Amino acid sequence: MFKWLGNKRLIVLMAGVIVFVALMGFTFGGRGAMSWPEGFLKDTVTYVQGWLNKPARAVAGFFEDVRRISVLYEENRQLKLSLTQYAKDTARLNDLEAQNKRLKDQLGFTERQQQSNKYKYRIAEVYASSPDPFNNTIVINLGEKDGIKPNMAVMSVEGLIGRIVDVSPFYSNVQLITDLDSSSTKAIAVTVKGRENESFGIMEGYDREKGMLVMNKIPKTDNLTAGDVIVTSGVGQLFPRGIEIGEVVSRDEGEFGITHTAQIKPFASFNHLREVFVIEVPEL
């Protein structure tokens, strides 16, 4: 209690001194030099004011730094969001450009095909593919409701890739020609493009190590040679005539030397298929 009263008296005394000095300054403001009591009091008051201002400035600076850090944090957050959105937009743009190129290529493909035959090409997106390397199937988003039927041929822009094996109302399973070594897959009757009435063979195997299709039952008198383009012959009516499959890489003598066999490099890529065509042959 007495300590508080003592502090109060000291504060009142200092306030009185400050007021006194101020009044003297106004009163004798026109004089030249200050007397030593005036100078002493002024220096004392100035020192005390400076000593009191230092913590006040420090506190004010601290809150200003906090405000600046908050502003920088918000700006940094906004920049990160903008950068993330930019990356998403860039990826989407790249995907759209790639899709646009694929669709243009496919449009050119269908126009060329329509000029050479009367087949109808139904474009479909690859919905899923089997992760099993020995179960070469894909799922497309066309089904029975779209008029898709088993054994319809399926191809990409490059060439034949397989046939429809199972159909549901909205989806279909496609067995790839890389699964030709399976007993459940029918062989493909083939011929040479430009010599359709002179060459003949059966595509009925796939060499997984070499990535080559195997063409068998080639007559010894056949002029088939490396560089020839192999197409479907239409014999058997399973695959429509004239669908490109691949290019002859080599030719060898078959078993017992009665017929020959050939290695065919497929035109189509069977990895990362995005869009394919289901070939619909008009009924006669």
Side-chain angles (χ1 to χ4, degrees):
M1 178 72 177
F2 291 104
K3 185 178 180 180
W4 183 82
L5 291 175
N7 291 338
K8 184 177 180 182
R9 291 174 181 176
L10 180 60
I11 293 172
V12 172
L13 179 60
M14 290 184 64
V17 170
I18 293 172
V19 172
F20 173 74
V21 171
L23 290 175
M24 290 186 65
F26 285 119
T27 305
F28 302 100
R31 298 187 310 169
M34 295 182 182
S35 63
W36 74 266
E38 293 175 343
F40 174 77
L41 288 175
K42 182 175 181 180
D43 291 341
T44 302
V45 171
T46 302
Y47 174 78
V48 172
Q49 288 178 337
W51 184 78
L52 293 175
N53 282 337
K54 285 182 180 181
R57 287 196 299 266
V59 172
F62 170 77
F63 284 106
E64 179 64 19
D65 291 341
V66 170
R67 187 188 68 81
R68 290 179 180 177
I69 291 173
S70 178
V71 171
L72 288 175
Y73 174 80
E74 182 62 23
E75 289 180 353
N76 186 54
R77 189 179 71 85
Q78 292 297 332
L79 287 174
K80 285 183 177 180
L81 291 176
S82 299
L83 183 60
T84 302
Q85 187 62 42
Y86 174 76
K88 290 180 180 179
D89 292 342
T90 300
R92 183 171 179 272
L93 177 61
N94 292 337
D95 184 66
L96 288 175
E97 288 179 347
Q99 185 182 40
N100 184 55
K101 182 180 182 301
R102 290 197 307 271
L103 292 176
K104 283 183 177 180
D105 292 341
Q106 291 160 2
L107 178 61
F109 157 79
T110 57
E111 289 176 347
R112 292 192 303 272
Q113 291 296 316
Q114 287 173 358
Q115 292 174 2
S116 61
N117 55 56
K118 296 182 180 179
Y119 303 151
K120 185 176 181 180
Y121 296 87
R122 306 288 299 277
I123 188 169
E125 292 184 4
V126 177
Y127 184 77
S129 59
S130 172
D132 184 357
F134 298 98
N135 182 21
N136 298 312
T137 59
I138 59 174
V139 180
I140 61 175
N141 64 345
L142 291 181
E144 187 178 5
K145 297 291 185 180
D146 305 294
I148 305 302
K149 301 176 182 178
N151 290 327
M152 281 185 169
V154 182
M155 67 179 300
S156 66
V157 175
E158 292 83 11
L160 184 70
I161 64 167
R163 68 186 179 96
I164 302 291
V165 289
D166 294 306
V167 180
S168 65
F170 301 103
Y171 298 96
S172 299
N173 290 344
V174 179
Q175 188 174 41
L176 304 179
I177 58 175
T178 54
D179 203 28
L180 282 174
D181 54 357
S182 171
S183 60
S184 63
T185 303
K186 297 181 180 180
I188 307 173
V190 296
T191 184
V192 174
K193 186 176 182 179
R195 299 201 308 272
E196 286 84 354
N197 297 324
E198 301 174 13
S199 294
F200 176 79
I202 298 294
M203 200 77 70
E204 56 181 359
Y206 181 70
D207 189 330
R208 296 184 183 277
E209 293 183 0
K210 298 180 180 179
M212 298 287 178
L213 295 165
V214 180
M215 179 178 173
N216 293 325
K217 296 182 175 58
I218 305 170
K220 294 176 63 175
T221 57
D222 197 312
N223 293 326
L224 181 141
T225 185
D228 285 343
V229 175
I230 302 301
V231 298
T232 54
S233 67
V235 176
Q237 298 181 351
L238 177 61
F239 292 91
R241 180 184 177 91
I243 306 301
E244 293 187 355
I245 299 176
E247 180 180 324
V248 177
V249 174
S250 63
R251 174 177 175 173
D252 300 295
E253 191 174 278
E255 294 183 3
F256 311 112
I258 300 175
T259 59
H260 285 193
T261 182
Q263 297 281 323
I264 311 299
K265 182 179 180 180
F267 287 141
S269 172
F270 302 98
N271 298 322
H272 309 296
L273 290 167
R274 301 289 294 274
E275 293 92 14
V276 297
F277 294 93
V278 179
I279 304 173
E280 183 177 341
V281 181
E283 297 181 1
L284 299 178

